[in-house]
Amino acid sequence: MYRSSRFRHVTVGLAGAAALVLSGCGSQDEGGASDAVSLGFVNGANTHFHTCLLKSVQQTAKKEGAKVYTANSKQDAGTELSNIEDMISRNVDALIVQTVNVDALDGDIAKAKSAGIPIYLTSVIASDMSDVLGAAVVDLKKVGALDAGWIEKDAAGKNVEVGVVAGAPGAASDLLVGGFTDALPSNAKVVANQPGMFNPVKAQDVAENMIQAHPGLDYAFVANEEMGLAVRKAFDAAGAKDVKIVSVNGTEDGVAAVEDGRFSATVANSALTIGQTAVKNVLGLLDKDKSADKIADIPLTLVTRENVSAAPQYCPE
């Protein structure tokens, strides 16, 4: 049985109560009786990935008989810390965090530790995991490297130009882009690297400027598929249909884009699997279940036109 830490007390002043009202941290799913384990899930943004991750956490928690409270940091590290403080004031048994910025994690972890609430990370790990309950890890550098490996094979030694449409600075985007650029062969030159902020409208603007400045572009790495589809539209409108796009996530739309040729490759890292792994491992680790992994690696699949059927389910139904 999962044991709820009902003897832990956190003092919440008027400022904390006000923060609860302002944060939008009020979403709760009842997963069982009043003594059920309660989890706080602090999400990082509103992209398709984050929406699917949220749904997976909620569905898995309900299935496992746990309550879950949710909040969204909207790509802001200050909001993330505020959301964590709000969850602490709810006296949750554990916190699951899809962080906005790895550099901000030290403060988040310290806050949770001081309140006696274990914190569990999704997608990334902290530089020091000693004060962290665990993590469901996507090796984001490897994700970028898999896309770079596809370009290396496809370029076959020719000198080629590569553009990068990154996400928002920090956390996932920096790791993805770093893994990609570090793994590119010497014959592939990065001629442009600009943030699309995980926003398709912004990414389309970036792509329009990129193709104007670099009409000889051969490949583009785009830090998620939502942006990638917008980048494809921009390139096609500019007469650059031959630019090959590689991307990240393995969403339904992304896999379809690989199948019909709009993308050349994408790396699938299922949000469904991440959410399921996080909730099940948190509950197992709280219950001292030795079969629960502190660090769980999420499987990655390089999806090309030849193996689209191998892409895992991305989002819960």
Side-chain angles (χ1 to χ4, degrees):
M1 291 289 293
Y2 307 129
R3 297 175 179 83
S4 180
S5 306
R6 294 299 166 211
F7 301 102
R8 180 176 60 245
H9 299 283
V10 179
T11 302
V12 183
L14 291 176
L20 272 173
V21 174
L22 295 172
S23 69
C25 179
S27 176
Q28 174 187 352
D29 292 307
E30 295 292 345
S34 60
D35 61 348
V37 171
S38 62
L39 305 176
F41 175 51
V42 177
N43 209 350
N46 291 309
T47 70
H48 185 56
F49 165 76
H50 293 90
T51 301
C52 293
L53 179 61
L54 171 63
K55 188 182 291 188
S56 181
V57 167
Q58 290 174 320
Q59 289 186 2
T60 309
K62 185 175 183 179
K63 184 177 180 180
E64 297 292 329
K67 299 177 183 177
V68 60
Y69 298 91
T70 67
N72 195 303
S73 302
K74 299 178 181 177
Q75 298 185 4
D76 183 84
T79 302
E80 179 173 286
L81 184 57
S82 176
N83 283 334
I84 286 171
E85 291 169 344
D86 291 348
M87 292 295 181
I88 289 170
S89 72
R90 291 178 182 270
N91 201 23
V92 296
D93 294 300
L95 266 167
I96 300 172
V97 178
Q98 172 69 31
T99 191
V100 170
N101 193 323
V102 174
D103 295 334
L105 277 176
D106 288 346
D108 297 344
I109 293 166
K111 277 282 184 182
K113 181 184 178 183
S114 67
I117 297 177
I119 194 167
Y120 187 96
L121 304 175
T122 54
S123 298
V124 300
I125 59 174
S127 56
D128 180 2
M129 290 292 289
S130 58
D131 292 329
V132 177
L133 179 65
V137 182
V138 177
D139 188 340
L140 295 172
K141 287 189 174 181
K142 183 178 179 181
V143 170
L146 285 169
D147 275 333
W150 185 89
I151 289 175
E152 179 175 16
K153 183 178 179 180
D154 189 68
K158 294 186 298 182
N159 290 329
V160 292
E161 293 187 356
V162 181
V164 174
V165 181
S173 180
D174 291 354
L175 292 168
L176 283 169
V177 173
F180 175 76
T181 55
D182 288 349
L184 281 175
S186 58
N187 56 293
K189 181 182 179 182
V190 175
V191 295
N193 184 344
Q194 295 176 262
M197 302 305 293
F198 292 122
N199 182 313
V201 175
K202 172 67 174 175
Q204 188 164 342
D205 288 342
V206 167
E208 288 169 355
N209 293 331
M210 187 177 291
I211 199 64
Q212 286 178 9
H214 304 282
L217 199 67
D218 298 291
Y219 300 93
F221 171 77
V222 187
N224 78 6
E225 291 160 355
E226 287 176 280
M227 292 195 300
L229 292 170
V231 169
R232 178 79 278 159
K233 288 180 182 178
F235 286 168
D236 289 355
K241 294 183 178 182
D242 291 339
V243 178
K244 297 178 181 180
I245 293 175
V246 295
S247 193
V248 176
N249 281 158
T251 65
E252 303 81 6
D253 289 345
V255 172
V258 171
E259 191 167 17
D260 66 23
R262 286 173 290 164
F263 293 166
S264 295
T266 193
V267 179
N269 52 295
S270 167
L272 170 64
T273 302
I274 296 169
Q276 290 174 335
T277 302
V279 173
K280 290 178 181 180
N281 279 3
V282 166
L283 296 176
L285 291 164
L286 288 176
D287 209 35
K288 311 298 183 185
D289 182 349
K290 292 183 179 179
S291 67
D293 295 323
K294 180 180 175 75
I295 307 296
D297 291 316
I298 302 301
L300 302 175
T301 304
L302 177 68
V303 180
T304 66
R305 208 166 188 173
E306 290 70 37
N307 72 334
V308 287
S309 62
Q313 182 179 346
Y314 185 80
C315 197
E317 296 180 353

